[in-house]
Amino acid sequence: MAKTKVVVVFPVYNGERTLSSSLQCIADQTFIDFEAIILDNKSTDDTLRVAEQFCKMDSRFSIVRTEQHVSAPENFARAVQIGAARGDYFCLRACDDHSSLDFLACLVEALDRDPTKLLAACSTKLVGPNGNRIKSPDDAIFGFTKAYVSGRVPRNLTFPAEWIYGLYRTSAKDMLMARWFELGNPWCLASYVVSELVVRDLVAYVPGPTYDFTEGSGSEQRYGAKILREKFNQRLSYTLGCYKLRRKLPKVSFITRLKFLRMCWNDARRKTRYKIFWIF
């Protein structure tokens, strides 16, 4: 029986300060049989030098350079395509994030155990200046489709957006890419893309390991809406895009569809962090 090939892709731009530590975290994983690819987005700092030095120390790591600089969502999309093309399972890793050392081993085991799942994910440890805290999913999201058919829909689809950095089966690529650019805005792309995997019960949740996400990247300041009209439009796009997922779920009553729409609207509020008129 052939071994499962696992690929970890680091889409990076100007990450010289933190890249080495993030690479080392993968190098130190208890699961050792992987390939790691550093996808450099035409960095203008010493990212490439850091990457080259690391690759000399560990032959499991290699570098792919983009021919021209692209946006962060485009570079991450390239990372998905590279990972899916070269491995049976793949995951993305931001250049300033880490994980527990059993992260790969536990997630690989989860996908090996259940071939119906396309994503294995764990809790998120948020690492901030005031300490750490754990983000875990709400129990209501598990068995979502069965509950939906019976008319039970949670008020919010509560799961860590950082599940975007979980471990994917290669066959998840087309589903990811179909939603990747729908929002037209990088803000909340992660939770928007993963939402389909959640409502269709395609996620294997693994308690124990953590993905360690460093807060303070400034993405909300760069990509978040600044005026009321933009906030409303982004929330509406998120809501309607997720509401379209009902077409991939079993047919249900009109009342249940309304509950699903309410869930999408509430989830859009929580993920975007926009309140319209400070009320809803």
Side-chain angles (χ1 to χ4, degrees), residues 190-254:
S191 55
Y192 181 80
V193 168
V194 174
S195 60
E196 178 171 356
L197 293 157
V198 174
V199 302
R200 294 179 64 187
D201 296 328
L202 298 173
V203 181
Y205 174 63
V206 186
T210 60
Y211 178 81
D212 303 346
F213 181 80
T214 304
E215 297 183 285
S217 65
S219 59
E220 183 176 5
Q221 290 73 24
R222 289 199 301 271
Y223 305 124
K226 303 298 187 295
I227 62 176
L228 181 61
R229 183 178 64 185
E230 291 177 353
K231 291 179 179 181
F232 179 80
N233 287 339
Q234 286 186 23
R235 269 190 65 179
L236 187 63
S237 295
Y238 190 109
T239 299
L240 296 181
C242 288
Y243 185 61
K244 287 191 301 184
L245 293 174
R246 77 191 188 283
R247 301 170 185 170
K248 299 184 179 182
L249 297 172
K251 291 184 179 180
V252 293
S253 68
F254 176 71

Side-chain angles (χ1 to χ4, degrees), residues 2-232:
K3 285 186 177 180
T4 299
K5 185 174 181 181
V6 177
V7 179
V8 183
V9 189
F10 290 79
V12 58
Y13 174 68
N14 286 357
E16 64 170 341
R17 185 174 60 85
T18 60
L19 179 59
S20 181
S21 176
S22 189
L23 296 175
Q24 190 63 54
C25 180
I26 290 297
D28 291 342
Q29 291 286 300
T30 58
F31 183 91
I32 62 174
D33 192 16
F34 63 82
E35 176 186 6
I37 300 168
I38 304 159
L39 179 59
D40 179 52
N41 191 14
K42 296 288 283 188
S43 294
T44 58
D45 64 358
D46 275 347
T47 292
L48 189 60
R49 179 185 60 80
V50 171
E52 289 173 340
Q53 288 181 342
F54 202 95
C55 291
K56 290 177 182 178
M57 295 187 297
D58 194 325
S59 62
R60 295 173 298 179
F61 290 75
S62 61
I63 302 169
V64 172
R65 300 193 69 187
T66 58
E67 294 182 0
Q68 61 182 17
H69 179 74
V70 297
S71 68
E74 289 175 302
N75 200 42
F76 272 73
R78 287 178 176 178
V80 169
Q81 292 163 343
I82 289 172
R86 296 175 69 157
D88 300 302
Y89 301 157
F90 69 91
C91 70
L92 309 179
R93 178 59 60 109
C95 68
D96 59 348
D97 294 332
H98 301 79
S99 62
S100 57
L101 298 185
D102 58 350
F103 175 83
L104 283 180
C106 291
L107 270 55
V108 166
E109 181 183 3
L111 290 184
D112 283 347
R113 185 169 57 247
D114 190 344
T116 69
K117 304 302 184 184
L118 298 185
L119 168 65
C122 58
S123 296
T124 298
K125 180 192 290 184
L126 294 177
V127 181
N130 299 318
N132 305 332
R133 61 187 177 93
I134 299 293
K135 285 173 62 178
S136 299
D138 191 289
D139 288 342
I141 70 167
F142 299 115
F144 183 92
T145 302
K146 184 177 180 180
Y148 176 76
V149 169
S150 67
R152 302 193 312 273
V153 180
R155 293 187 65 87
N156 299 283
L157 194 66
T158 305
F159 64 92
E162 294 79 16
W163 277 7
I164 194 75
Y165 295 110
L167 186 70
Y168 295 92
R169 201 177 298 277
T170 293
S171 53
K173 184 201 74 170
D174 291 341
M175 186 182 299
L176 295 173
M177 289 297 95
R179 292 174 63 76
W180 200 266
F181 297 103
E182 281 188 354
L183 283 183
N185 188 301
W187 181 234
C188 299
L189 178 152
S191 55
Y192 181 80
V193 168
V194 174
S195 60
E196 178 171 356
L197 293 157
V198 174
V199 302
R200 294 179 64 187
D201 296 328
L202 298 173
V203 181
Y205 174 63
V206 186
T210 60
Y211 178 81
D212 303 346
F213 181 80
T214 304
E215 297 183 285
S217 65
S219 59
E220 183 176 5
Q221 290 73 24
R222 289 199 301 271
Y223 305 124
K226 303 298 187 295
I227 62 176
L228 181 61
R229 183 178 64 185
E230 291 177 353
K231 291 179 179 181
F232 179 80

